[in-house]
Amino acid sequence: MRISLSLSILLGFGFGATAFAEGVDLGPRPAYLVSQMNPGPLRDKLAACIGNPAKPSLFSISHRGAPLQFPEHTEEGYRAAALMGAGILECDVTFTADKELVCRHSQNDLHTTTNILATDLAAKCTSGFKPASGGDPASAECRTSDISLAEFRSLKGKMDSADKQAQSVEDYMNGTASWRTELYGATGTLMTHAESIALFKDLGVKFTPELKSPKIDMPHDGFSQADYAQKLIDEYKQAGIPPEDVFAQSFRLDDVLYWIENEPEFGKQAVFLDGRRDINPQDPSTFSPSMQELKEMGVNYIAPPLFVLLSVEDGKIVPSAYAKAAKEAGLDLITWTLERSGPLNTGGGWYYQTVSDVIKSDGDMLEVVDVLAGDVGVKGIFSDWPATTSFYASCMGLK
């Protein structure tokens, strides 16, 4: 396995990977967020927890590592997430030209998440770099399926970004949002899915791999969607990981149903990522299949974006009809993604769209977490900076 100790050395730690699970370092951000909250009982409760020792929590789910500041799906980002107390880490899973599973958010994001365009491998990309011209933005498309595993290993992860006005590859690769950072952007160590399993096991955390929808037609060279879904599970079985420690995810309901039918011990914790855009969170008639139908199919976990679970009544954030229907059907809820919207002083954008009228500052993020945890009853929240959810969970005594 190609698991280095680069982040451990960077942060001055002198112990092995398993020690991350024994001591949580939340850093200054939770205290900053509390300082931005409106006065009230919740702020007082959270303020009293600032500086207290924190523990890892299954409520705190790392989204792609710690991509608020670290390149996503890299060893360095995963180690940072574990250090911040995330009890569950995510490897988004796709595959290379030789059908090897690797951690990437999409099969076609190498041009924005790695340095591939600055290497000789750019010649293998589905679409090479094209500068902005007239009204057309700069573009490129590089897929994991364009290259072999050996070639994938030669790349470095970078902050997910692209300057759509760029005239050069260098400028195109340098489009990181102002509220993120390039401070840790030079050391992104890419990982295979199997390597992520070994690392997460050493870190003492649980696993939530997401089977990403292929960008190429399936079956691919005899590799079917079922083969793909099965290979993901097989790599946990080969590593001796108990099924109860794995929360396999997919936006494709058929993938979840495949696991339920063919790998029932893993399928009972499979997560249906609900990205359906035709759902009205306040109108249960738009939930097709319905929550009860999903439950009858064997689905136990459903995970929509956080705005789907929230509404506003009398100026207060409350659970949506979607959240109530899921609870009534006996479905466990997980949601995404905290710390992915930048500063919230303009309403929070896409992730907060159903509650944007009452989102005024970064401190409102913790108000949202409190409603999701206490009123909606989510089992966990994906975050781009797990210190926030770990802090809340430790303060409130969540496991």
Side-chain angles (χ1 to χ4, degrees):
M1 297 296 177
R2 299 179 311 112
I3 299 174
S4 72
L5 296 177
S6 54
L7 183 63
S8 302
I9 295 169
L10 176 65
L11 297 178
F13 293 123
F15 44 73
T18 54
F20 280 106
E22 299 170 6
V24 174
D25 186 347
L26 297 175
R29 185 158 178 77
Y32 163 76
L33 294 177
V34 172
S35 76
Q36 301 300 302
M37 294 179 68
N38 293 321
L42 179 59
R43 176 176 174 170
D44 292 343
K45 167 75 172 175
L46 294 175
C49 293
I50 293 172
N52 291 347
K55 296 181 179 179
S57 171
L58 299 181
F59 180 81
S60 181
I61 307 174
S62 159
H63 182 245
R64 312 188 200 180
L68 184 64
Q69 293 196 29
F70 289 82
E72 65 183 48
H73 294 305
T74 61
E75 178 190 342
E76 293 78 11
Y78 289 142
R79 288 186 181 277
L83 181 60
M84 287 187 276
I88 305 175
L89 269 60
E90 177 188 49
C91 166
D92 288 337
V93 178
T94 187
F95 57 88
T96 60
D98 41 356
K99 307 183 190 72
E100 296 297 330
L101 303 186
V102 295
C103 298
R104 286 291 92 199
H105 178 64
S106 173
Q107 192 171 54
N108 66 335
D109 72 2
L110 294 182
H111 51 287
T112 64
T113 65
T114 76
N115 66 334
I116 190 170
L117 290 176
T119 75
D120 292 341
L121 292 175
K124 292 193 170 186
C125 290
T126 296
S127 299
F129 171 73
K130 295 179 182 178
S133 177
D136 297 327
S139 65
E141 185 181 6
C142 303
R143 300 175 176 177
T144 56
S145 53
D146 291 334
I147 59 176
S148 69
L149 176 60
E151 291 167 332
F152 176 85
R153 290 183 186 279
S154 73
L155 300 176
K156 289 292 185 182
K158 75 175 190 69
M159 296 300 285
D160 184 12
S161 65
D163 182 353
K164 297 301 181 66
Q165 303 305 312
Q167 294 296 306
S168 68
V169 166
E170 182 179 10
D171 288 343
Y172 182 78
M173 295 174 61
N174 192 28
T176 302
S178 61
W179 43 271
R180 288 187 170 139
T181 180
E182 288 290 349
L183 188 60
Y184 308 113
T187 57
T189 305
L190 303 191
M191 305 197 76
T192 68
H193 178 233
E195 288 169 348
S196 80
I197 293 172
L199 176 63
F200 298 177
K201 182 178 180 180
D202 284 347
L203 293 172
V205 301
K206 295 184 185 294
F207 313 78
T208 187
E210 179 188 337
L211 194 75
K212 303 303 297 189
S213 295
K215 299 300 181 182
I216 55 179
D217 293 337
M218 300 290 277
H220 169 64
D221 191 25
F223 190 55
S224 69
Q225 185 69 27
D227 294 334
Y228 180 30
Q230 186 63 50
K231 186 167 185 173
L232 181 147
I233 298 300
D234 286 345
E235 292 197 345
Y236 288 94
K237 295 167 74 173
Q238 290 161 8
I241 304 299
E244 60 268 25
D245 287 351
V246 181
F247 298 82
Q249 320 166 68
S250 180
F251 279 100
R252 296 180 75 257
L253 180 58
D254 285 347
D255 293 335
V256 176
L257 297 180
Y258 173 87
W259 291 324
I260 290 170
E261 180 178 355
N262 295 281
E263 292 286 352
E265 291 304 306
F266 288 88
K268 68 178 61 174
Q269 290 194 160
V271 181
F272 173 41
L273 294 166
D274 194 351
R276 294 174 289 178
R277 300 300 175 93
D278 55 349
I279 279 181
N280 178 346
Q282 296 304 329
D283 183 0
S285 70
T286 66
F287 309 162
S288 180
S290 70
M291 301 299 180
Q292 189 58 46
E293 288 170 335
L294 287 170
K295 186 66 176 178
E296 290 170 357
M297 293 175 189
V299 176
N300 291 317
Y301 287 86
I302 188 168
L306 61 86
F307 72 82
V308 170
L309 298 175
L310 303 173
S311 184
V312 174
E313 292 181 6
D314 300 324
K316 295 183 178 181
I317 301 174
V318 297
S320 68
Y322 178 108
K324 295 174 183 176
K327 188 173 183 179
E328 289 172 1
L331 292 171
D332 286 326
L333 286 162
I334 297 169
T335 193
W336 42 277
T337 301
L338 208 69
E339 300 278 30
R340 193 160 183 82
S341 300
L344 302 189
N345 56 6
T346 57
W350 188 82
Y351 287 98
Y352 296 85
Q353 59 188 272
T354 55
V355 294
S356 59
D357 289 347
V358 296
I359 299 295
K360 306 299 182 185
S361 74
D362 286 351
D364 292 329
M365 193 182 308
L366 289 170
E367 299 279 357
V368 167
V369 171
D370 191 59
V371 173
L372 289 169
D375 299 330
V376 175
V378 299
K379 298 296 184 181
I381 298 177
F382 281 92
S383 177
D384 277 15
W385 198 244
T388 301
T389 42
S390 299
F391 165 74
Y392 178 89
S394 285
C395 187
M396 297 299 180
L398 304 180
K399 294 184 179 179

